[in-house]
């Protein structure tokens, strides 16, 4: 079997609520989900998810190749663009192809990908994460009550603009999840919105308020190894980061500086990337945690990682036209038996019913505001 071509399409995900973080919020709750269909000469097709606008640069590295040689093809794609670099959109394209190749490999074996990757159990422990910054208190409570009803004992909230608001919300989610655990795990993600001294001050205030924070996520810029290390030394909680790093060479300075306690990998960067990040973390006795994405494709690899502490689960519904063989239950993801990633794509329905939405709008979370890391006072006024 050989890779012969690809098709690219975009579907939409209606979250049913505003989604975003301290950088911005998509008020409509409708976002785009890029899909890559990798074609072969046998007619079997592989599915990859994520932004792949730069695919023309890397596709020739896999064209005509046997899709079963996935790690070698991943390295071939990296080598193909080594002069100009592989970050950003290029890495997104590499990741989407990589994901589709793994999907093909497992389909050829007629088994789910978690089996192909050597996992012994179809259950993947997770934590609830609602991209919840734009929700009012009632909507916030309703969302995390739904997670509690699915058995979740840990949750991550979005914050970073007003520490008193963050403390209030951490208390609210702790109370909600207390039905499932006497000591729920609580995480706070501020999406690089603090500077290092702000982070140390704010974390001290959170600790003084009686919040046993499990980890603080991306408190400062993703590349600030010295800052992340200083925060890790000063705070009782772990520092988690890595979702926006593309390639092991970007993780190396953080690992060398002891700047990360929970090593994260963005699900959007593919299966092979996650595996290599997990191994790099495992060598240092650090846990690894995949950051969530539509359809949870990295859950298959997470199920096989010996140091996986929990996968972020962001929603209970699937994007339009995607049918996913998973169940969100018992505080995690229960993977099914459909071959490959377990994702079926209804292209006709997507073409017929897709609605416009965008992560990349000026108001959305993918545009960094000028005041991030520069706020002298809390944003949004008093919190009572």
């Amino acid at each position: 079997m050989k890779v012969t071509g690809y098709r690219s399409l975009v579907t939409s995900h209606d979250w049913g609520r505003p989604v975003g973080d301290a950088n911005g919020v998509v008020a409509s709750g409708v976002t785009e989900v890029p899909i890559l269909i990798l074609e072969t000469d046998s007619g079997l097709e592989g599915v990859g998810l994520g932004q792949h606008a730069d695919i023309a640069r890397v596709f020739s590295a896999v064209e005509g190749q046997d899709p079963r040689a996935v790690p070698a093809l991943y390295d071939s794609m990296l080598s193909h663009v080594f002069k100009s670099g592989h970050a950003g959109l290029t890495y997104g394209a590499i990741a989407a192809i990589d994901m589709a190749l793994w999907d093909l490999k497992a389909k050829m074996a007629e088994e789910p990908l978690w089996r192909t990757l050597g996992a012994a159990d179809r259950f993947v422990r997770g934590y609830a994460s609602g991209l919840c910054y734009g929700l009012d208190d009632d909507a916030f409570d309703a969302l995390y009550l739904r997670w509690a009803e699915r058995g979740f004992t840990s949750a991550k909230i979005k914050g970073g603009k007003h520490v008193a608001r963050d403390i209030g919300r951490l208390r609210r989610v702790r109370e909600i999840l207390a039905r499932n655990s006497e000591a729920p795990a609580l995480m706070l993600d501020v999406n690089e919105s603090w500077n290092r001294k702000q982070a140390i001050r704010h974390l001290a205030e959170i600790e003084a308020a009686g919040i046993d924070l499990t980890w603080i996520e991306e408190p400062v810029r993703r590349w600030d190894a010295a800052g992340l290390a200083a925060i890790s030394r000063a705070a009782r909680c772990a520092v988690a980061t890595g979702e926006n790093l593309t390639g092991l060479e970007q993780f190396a300075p953080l690992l060398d500086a002891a700047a990360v306690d929970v090593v994260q990998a963005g699900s959007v960067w593919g299966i092979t990337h996650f595996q290599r990040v997990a191994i790099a973390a495992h060598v240092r006795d650090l846990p690894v945690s995949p950051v969530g994405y539509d359809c949870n494709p990295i859950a298959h690899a997470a199920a096989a990682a010996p140091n996986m502490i929990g996968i972020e689960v962001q929603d209970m519904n699937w994007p339009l036209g995607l049918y996913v063989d998973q169940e969100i239950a018992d505080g995690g993801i229960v993977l099914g038996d459909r071959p490959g990633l377990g994702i079926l794509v209804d292209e006709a329905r997507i073409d017929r019913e897709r609605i416009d939405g965008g992560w990349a709008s000026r108001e959305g979370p993918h545009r960094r505001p000028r005041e991030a890391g520069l706020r002298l006072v809390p944003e949004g006024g008093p919190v009572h």
Side-chain angles (χ1 to χ4, degrees):
M1 186 185 296
K2 298 187 185 305
V3 175
T4 57
Y6 62 87
R7 303 191 305 281
S8 183
L9 59 149
V10 178
T11 190
S12 53
H13 185 175
D14 186 351
W15 297 73
R17 62 183 188 272
V19 288
D21 57 37
N23 297 299
V25 173
V26 179
S28 69
V30 177
T31 60
E32 77 282 1
V33 182
I35 305 167
L36 175 69
I37 309 294
L38 207 58
E39 301 166 341
T40 69
D41 57 1
S42 75
L44 196 64
E45 296 181 335
V47 177
L49 302 177
Q51 182 57 257
H52 53 274
D54 210 19
I55 189 171
R57 288 189 64 212
V58 296
F59 179 71
S60 60
V62 302
E63 188 173 16
Q65 301 299 311
D66 186 327
R68 290 173 295 185
V70 191
L73 293 176
Y74 175 84
D75 287 327
S76 177
M77 288 187 282
L78 294 179
S79 297
H80 197 69
V81 296
F82 90 104
K83 283 284 189 180
S84 55
H86 58 247
L89 290 177
T90 301
Y91 206 73
I94 291 170
I97 293 173
D98 175 75
M99 199 179 295
L101 288 169
W102 279 110
D103 186 45
L104 278 168
K105 184 179 177 74
K107 285 175 176 174
M108 293 170 72
E110 298 183 343
E111 62 186 9
L113 182 56
W114 61 271
R115 287 281 191 200
T116 303
L117 295 173
D121 193 336
R122 69 180 67 240
F123 178 74
V124 185
R125 181 173 61 251
Y127 66 87
S129 176
L131 307 179
C132 56
Y133 195 89
L135 302 182
D136 63 26
D137 287 346
D138 289 342
F140 178 90
D141 290 354
L143 174 62
Y144 284 98
L145 278 168
R146 290 176 61 209
W147 291 115
E149 290 165 357
R150 301 280 182 120
F152 282 80
T153 57
S154 52
K156 183 173 77 182
I157 71 161
K158 295 289 190 179
K161 290 184 178 181
H162 199 308
V163 69
R165 180 183 191 261
D166 297 343
I167 290 169
R169 293 215 152 177
L170 287 164
R171 286 172 170 160
R172 297 176 84 95
V173 78
R174 181 177 61 187
E175 182 177 348
I176 290 167
L177 296 184
R179 66 175 63 188
N180 298 329
S181 171
E182 64 180 14
L186 305 175
M187 292 79 97
L188 175 63
D189 186 358
V190 300
N191 294 99
E192 305 180 59
S193 64
W194 291 339
N195 59 54
R196 67 181 72 173
K197 278 298 188 179
Q198 279 180 325
I200 291 168
R201 284 180 18 242
H202 293 337
L203 288 170
E205 188 172 348
I206 290 168
E207 292 172 355
I211 302 294
D212 182 17
L213 200 62
T214 301
W215 76 59
I216 181 67
E217 186 166 326
E218 290 192 325
V220 294
R221 299 312 303 269
R222 64 197 71 168
W223 52 75
D224 185 4
L228 290 163
I231 295 163
S232 180
R233 290 192 298 268
R236 291 201 305 262
C237 67
V239 169
T241 191
E243 69 175 288
N244 291 304
L245 302 181
T246 51
L248 287 179
E249 72 282 356
Q250 294 189 8
F251 283 84
L254 274 65
L255 293 168
D256 291 344
V260 53
D261 305 302
V262 176
V263 182
Q264 296 180 307
S267 291
V268 75
W269 304 129
I271 304 289
T272 302
H273 171 75
F274 171 77
Q275 290 179 312
R276 294 185 178 183
V277 170
I279 291 169
H282 193 41
V283 167
R284 294 162 174 83
D285 289 322
L286 295 173
V288 68
S289 177
V291 173
Y293 189 64
D294 292 292
C295 305
N296 309 309
I298 304 302
H300 291 265
N307 54 332
M308 207 285 294
I309 196 170
I311 186 171
E312 180 181 28
V313 187
Q314 295 178 337
D315 201 23
M316 303 174 203
N317 300 310
W318 312 123
L320 175 72
L322 299 184
Y323 304 93
V324 187
D325 192 17
Q326 294 176 17
E327 182 184 3
I328 309 300
D330 302 323
I333 299 169
V334 183
L335 298 167
D337 289 315
R338 186 182 295 155
L341 288 169
I343 300 173
L344 299 179
V345 182
D346 186 340
E347 296 184 53
R349 186 181 177 200
I350 291 170
D351 185 60
R352 186 175 63 247
E353 300 179 25
R354 184 179 75 86
I355 54 180
D356 290 333
W359 285 116
S361 67
R362 288 183 61 87
E363 298 78 22
H366 290 287
R367 179 182 173 91
R368 181 173 171 83
R370 183 186 179 281
E371 62 272 17
L374 300 174
R375 296 181 183 92
L376 288 174
V377 297
E379 184 173 312
V383 172
H384 301 290

